[in-house]
Amino acid sequence: MRIAVTGASGFVGGAVCRALVGQGIEPFAYGRRPQVEPEHVAGAPYRSWDLTQGPLRDAPVVDAVIHCAGSVTDWGPASTLFATNLAGTKHVLASFPKGRFVHVSTASVYDPYSPTVMAREDQAPAPRYLNAYGASKAAAERAVLSVMRGYGRALWRGPAKREAVILRPHAVYGPGDTTLLPRLLSSVRGPILPAVGNGRQRVSLTSIDNLVQACLRAAMGPVGTGIFNIADAEPVTIDTALRALLAERGVKARPLYLPASAARPLAAAMEGAYLLTRRPEPPRLTRYAISHLAVERTLDLTAATTILGYTPAETTFKGASTW
């Protein structure tokens, strides 16, 4: 089977490449970086491609594309996020007009202004977003939906309707994570890890192993069309997750919770200050981060388990000391 993987130089794409090679499939690996260590993609042929610059020249004919590339940040210019997440997705669709298209989206397409309580797939996209990340990922989903067989009138002026699968993970963690874990650990202040809410709010997390399993099932399984939430087997409370992760990392700190009602205006003020000073890095506290930590964010996995054949493992941070 011939499979292309975008974002192969990153966290998710690299893990997908390694899993494919482990199953005897040598993927066509594409990433933004000029080069990667061979072991990152398990020795698969790697080609540098900035997908914001246009479709890929001389793209191979493949049976499936697993589109992992994207900008994952809650802070940055809208133009940059849309160029990567929306225009980049359109360029990948155009580059590989045949074969199943597996789009790795995000649970950030659900309404950030309301709790997400065992959300079903038909509850997104939302009419409003806190930042360009959620808005750009929702726009990218619409681009995929417009070519997805069985999902309404074609709005995309490109190839004929095709098999396509959209996956919506939430808070992906595991070995190689460059976003969630580093940001969490950088927030530790002595014996304290500042957090928002009360710690009892439930959240669906997604291990990299679970997400990779879903990507491979979507690309190679019998189900060629659909939208699926992807997460660990059961939600956990924020406090349980934070304490387990800190313990596994050997960090002698405990969560200290700030009520969301106090955190939101503080985050807005910090965002304003960063915008005025044009600082490129994100503030330590953002309204987007609060929206994912201070209220319930849980996903209904019924469609993924019954239709896609997804079999998720439980949340665990075992081995996190080496991540």
Side-chain angles (χ1 to χ4, degrees):
M1 192 171 187
R2 294 165 63 88
I3 297 179
V5 178
T6 69
S9 59
F11 173 37
V12 176
V16 169
C17 285
R18 295 190 295 273
L20 287 170
V21 172
Q23 294 201 10
I25 299 172
E26 186 176 74
F28 299 92
Y30 300 95
R32 179 172 50 86
R33 298 175 189 170
Q35 58 186 12
V36 296
E37 294 296 328
E39 56 267 26
H40 183 75
V41 293
Y46 177 82
R47 181 176 172 184
S48 179
W49 175 27
D50 182 351
L51 50 78
T52 67
Q53 299 303 304
L56 181 67
R57 296 180 180 180
D58 305 319
V61 176
V62 297
D63 299 299
V65 181
I66 304 177
H67 178 39
C68 306
S71 180
V72 184
T73 178
D74 60 341
W75 189 257
S79 58
T80 300
L81 285 158
F82 273 87
T84 303
N85 294 337
L86 175 58
T89 297
K90 289 184 176 182
H91 293 155
V92 178
L93 284 165
S95 299
F96 301 96
K98 297 181 180 179
R100 186 177 298 178
F101 193 89
V102 179
H103 178 63
V104 180
S105 184
T106 173
S108 290
V109 297
Y110 292 105
D111 189 347
Y113 291 90
S114 301
T116 305
V117 182
M118 301 305 286
R120 300 182 310 276
E121 288 80 359
D122 60 2
Q123 293 176 232
R128 54 187 181 170
Y129 290 99
L130 274 169
N131 59 15
Y133 174 65
S136 64
K137 293 296 283 188
E141 279 199 10
R142 293 187 184 98
V144 177
L145 283 170
S146 70
V147 303
M148 185 185 289
R149 185 177 299 161
Y151 272 81
R153 183 170 61 89
L155 302 177
W156 161 257
R157 295 183 179 180
K161 290 238 174 179
R162 60 194 288 187
E163 289 188 341
V165 177
I166 294 174
L167 305 177
R168 292 175 179 161
H170 182 250
V172 183
Y173 68 94
D177 173 21
T178 59
T179 303
L180 191 64
L181 181 59
R183 189 165 178 177
L184 174 68
L185 294 176
S186 70
S187 298
V188 174
R189 294 292 178 269
I192 297 298
L193 171 62
V196 182
N198 56 25
R200 296 190 298 274
Q201 57 270 29
R202 301 197 311 157
V203 61
S204 290
L205 304 177
T206 311
S207 74
I208 186 62
D209 289 342
N210 279 334
L211 178 54
V212 167
Q213 178 208 150
C215 287
L216 269 58
R217 286 187 178 276
M220 300 186 291
V223 178
T225 296
I227 305 173
F228 303 101
N229 291 329
I230 301 298
D232 297 345
E234 297 291 340
V236 295
T237 66
I238 285 287
D239 192 68
T240 298
L242 292 179
R243 290 179 184 273
L245 183 54
L246 291 170
E248 190 67 26
R249 290 284 300 195
V251 178
K252 297 183 182 299
R254 63 179 179 83
L256 180 65
Y257 294 95
L258 177 70
S261 58
R264 289 192 183 96
L266 177 60
M270 292 179 68
E271 289 179 14
Y274 272 57
L275 286 171
L276 285 173
T277 56
R278 298 185 178 181
R279 295 178 64 171
E281 74 277 11
R284 292 195 178 276
L285 185 65
T286 65
R287 290 172 297 163
Y288 172 85
I290 293 171
S291 75
H292 281 267
L293 295 173
V295 299
E296 180 167 338
R297 296 292 173 197
T298 55
L299 303 175
D300 185 335
L301 304 181
T302 302
T305 57
T306 60
I307 300 174
L308 194 62
Y310 174 59
T311 55
E314 299 284 347
T315 295
T316 178
F317 299 110
K318 186 177 181 179
S321 59
T322 62
W323 295 353

